[in-house]
Amino acid sequence: MITRRTTLAGLTALLSPVAAHGTPGEQLNVTSGHDSLSVSRYAATAAGKRPAVIVLHGSRGIELRARAYERYADALTARGIDAYFLRYMTLADTAALTSTSATHERREAYETTRFDGWADTVSVTLTTLLDRPDSSGRIGLLGFSLGGYVAADAAARDTRIAALAVLYGGMPEAMTAKVKRLPPLIVLHGEADRNVPIREGRQLVALGKSVGAETEFVPYPGKAHGFDFSDTDPMTPDAIDRITKFFQTRLAA
């Protein structure tokens, strides 16, 4: 539950000195279908085998708000978890979803045709990371907006995914009836979200419960879509802290 104490603590954290911005130490490529896609690795400093989180961006990509995504990488690596930013969208995807002539309905229709392919890309990436000598074998997914839908879809298909965190996303409608399992799940969603209605997040949590997954839902009163990307909102560090603690607990060996 979000309380006044939580808000004040978050504001204190936001105004405190910030550690040096994380930078990816390694660039990988994964091949999915006919496409070669980029993965940026942010490595924790802990020695030995480590858990990892694959981060899935929203429909506008990572670079537009790179620092907002990197704050999550900083928090994860500080807790001994490697972070991998997967750019799962192809050039064709980007063109279709960011075109000024594309209506909301056309974008949704296009996304529906691509969820299978995007989920396959996540699974290919998962295989690549599990084969690394520094992998503990415990990998989670963190998805934002469209990336949240992709993460939920992939987690329902691939039993190797150990934990799922979704911010202002849900489960693709076509996949809902097919879901037989989900890993432990946390969903964060702003109550004032006009891009992805909060019911989408609630429905994902209800779906998780229906298949026996451990779930947590955190609503943020008055917050809009992408609230955690703000540099000044006290709920930004609150969201990052909740996500980081979730993965630290769920990905422990």
Side-chain angles (χ1 to χ4, degrees), residues 30-50:
V30 296
T31 301
S32 181
H34 300 292
D35 300 298
S36 179
L37 302 167
S38 172
V39 182
S40 299
R41 176 177 181 250
Y42 295 75
T45 57
K49 295 182 181 295
R50 300 180 297 276

Side-chain angles (χ1 to χ4, degrees), residues 32-146:
S32 181
H34 300 292
D35 300 298
S36 179
L37 302 167
S38 172
V39 182
S40 299
R41 176 177 181 250
Y42 295 75
T45 57
K49 295 182 181 295
R50 300 180 297 276
V53 171
I54 299 172
V55 181
L56 304 175
H57 56 77
S59 63
R60 301 182 73 183
I62 291 173
E63 278 65 33
L64 186 65
R65 297 298 303 275
R67 183 58 202 142
Y69 288 106
E70 286 172 352
R71 281 194 286 255
Y72 282 91
D74 289 346
L76 289 167
T77 56
R79 300 287 182 99
I81 302 170
D82 292 344
Y84 291 86
F85 287 8
L86 170 61
R87 292 166 175 81
Y88 60 92
M89 289 170 54
T90 65
L91 292 176
D93 293 334
T94 300
L97 295 176
T98 61
S99 170
T100 56
S101 62
T103 63
H104 176 73
E105 290 74 19
R106 286 182 179 178
R107 286 194 294 270
E108 282 196 339
Y110 180 85
E111 290 166 5
T112 298
T113 69
R114 290 290 291 132
F115 280 123
D116 286 354
W118 288 331
D120 287 345
T121 296
V122 173
S123 288
V124 169
T125 305
L126 189 67
T127 297
T128 299
L129 302 188
L130 287 171
D131 285 343
R132 292 180 62 96
D134 54 14
S135 173
S136 71
R138 303 283 291 171
I139 296 183
L141 298 182
L142 169 57
F144 299 81
S145 193
L146 175 59

Side-chain angles (χ1 to χ4, degrees), residues 176-207:
T176 300
K178 303 176 184 177
V179 175
K180 304 300 181 185
R181 66 162 299 277
L182 281 170
L185 162 70
I186 186 171
V187 175
L188 278 57
H189 214 120
E191 292 185 348
D193 193 329
R194 295 184 179 181
N195 294 47
V196 178
I198 194 171
R199 67 174 180 271
E200 295 284 309
R202 294 188 189 279
Q203 287 170 357
L204 174 56
V205 169
L207 179 61

